Amino acid sequence: MRIITLLTTGLFLFTAGCSKAPQEKTITLVNAAAVDAGLLERVRAFAEKELHVPVRAVEKPKLAGKKSFQAYKKAARRIRTDADVSLIMLTRVDGETRHLAVDSGGAIALVNAKPLYAADAEIFARRIERQVMRAAAFSFGLPPTPDPFCVTRDYSSLEELDVMGRNFSPPWQGRFAEEAEKRGLVPAEAAVPAR
């Protein structure tokens, strides 16, 4: 009888220890070999600071080389988990001139680094940061704003993109925070345990 009790208890503890704990909800950046690791971390940290929600970055170089946004969107749907409140994939799509494609219904956004490239590393980095911020807003269903300083405003050239702000206007920051809360995103400051 004791052996059965010990085996049952041991089996319970083993399976409890192996069960998956619920993952923290995040905005997830997936790098399909579009940027280097240093830039990916810079963009992740910038987005987390500006959005005030957890942002994680994942390297998926095997996803590189797809021929269209549609192919990347299919891949994003396959890898997206319940913890990924929004999945933003950094891609390089040859022949595609769009900088960003968003499926707000699926909370998926694709940033095309190829047409954003600049020989100046800082200009390129800021372009990627802007597109990630735009992707976060648009994947939550927020529309562009007419505010000339908000990163969500419409633009028609790289020159216009380069002079716009890299964060949200105060009203859009508030709207984003409301949408994030509805989706279960805990503010990044609250997600970090106090020391």
Side-chain angles (χ1 to χ4, degrees), residues 121-169:
E122 186 61 23
I123 290 173
F124 180 60
R126 287 175 177 247
R127 287 175 179 174
I128 298 294
E129 287 171 345
R130 286 181 180 100
Q131 292 304 330
V132 166
M133 293 293 290
R134 292 170 63 80
F138 300 153
S139 70
F140 278 16
L142 296 179
T145 177
D147 185 321
F149 301 106
C150 184
V151 73
T152 66
R153 78 175 169 93
D154 287 329
Y155 66 95
S156 57
S157 68
L158 285 173
E159 291 74 24
E160 284 183 27
L161 176 66
D162 290 340
V163 296
M164 72 170 44
R166 289 183 297 144
N167 53 16
F168 300 148
S169 63

Side-chain angles (χ1 to χ4, degrees), residues 28-158:
T28 303
L29 292 177
V30 177
N31 184 25
V35 298
D36 64 39
L39 179 53
L40 179 64
E41 176 52 26
R42 171 186 164 157
V43 171
R44 186 212 61 78
F46 176 80
E48 186 170 86
K49 177 180 167 266
E50 294 298 325
L51 298 172
H52 307 288
V53 296
V55 178
R56 74 181 181 109
V58 179
E59 293 278 3
K60 294 279 186 184
K62 290 183 179 178
L63 294 177
K66 301 206 180 307
K67 303 296 183 203
S68 68
F69 273 149
Q70 193 61 27
Y72 276 111
K73 191 161 107 174
K74 278 185 182 177
R77 283 186 182 140
R78 278 195 311 273
I79 65 171
R80 185 167 177 246
T81 70
D82 291 339
D84 302 323
V85 174
S86 175
L87 189 139
I88 302 168
M89 189 177 294
L90 304 178
T91 68
R92 286 185 177 272
V93 184
D94 288 328
E96 176 62 67
T97 58
R98 287 182 294 167
H99 302 159
L100 178 66
V102 179
D103 172 9
S104 59
I108 291 171
L110 308 167
V111 175
N112 187 8
K114 185 104 175 162
L116 297 170
Y117 179 77
D120 183 313
E122 186 61 23
I123 290 173
F124 180 60
R126 287 175 177 247
R127 287 175 179 174
I128 298 294
E129 287 171 345
R130 286 181 180 100
Q131 292 304 330
V132 166
M133 293 293 290
R134 292 170 63 80
F138 300 153
S139 70
F140 278 16
L142 296 179
T145 177
D147 185 321
F149 301 106
C150 184
V151 73
T152 66
R153 78 175 169 93
D154 287 329
Y155 66 95
S156 57
S157 68
L158 285 173

Side-chain angles (χ1 to χ4, degrees), residues 9 24 39 45 87 96 100 121 136 158 174 176 181 184 189 192 195:
T9 304
E24 174 187 35
L39 179 53
L87 189 139
E96 176 62 67
L100 178 66
L158 285 173
F176 180 84
E181 186 177 343
E189 301 81 33
V192 178
R195 293 180 189 193

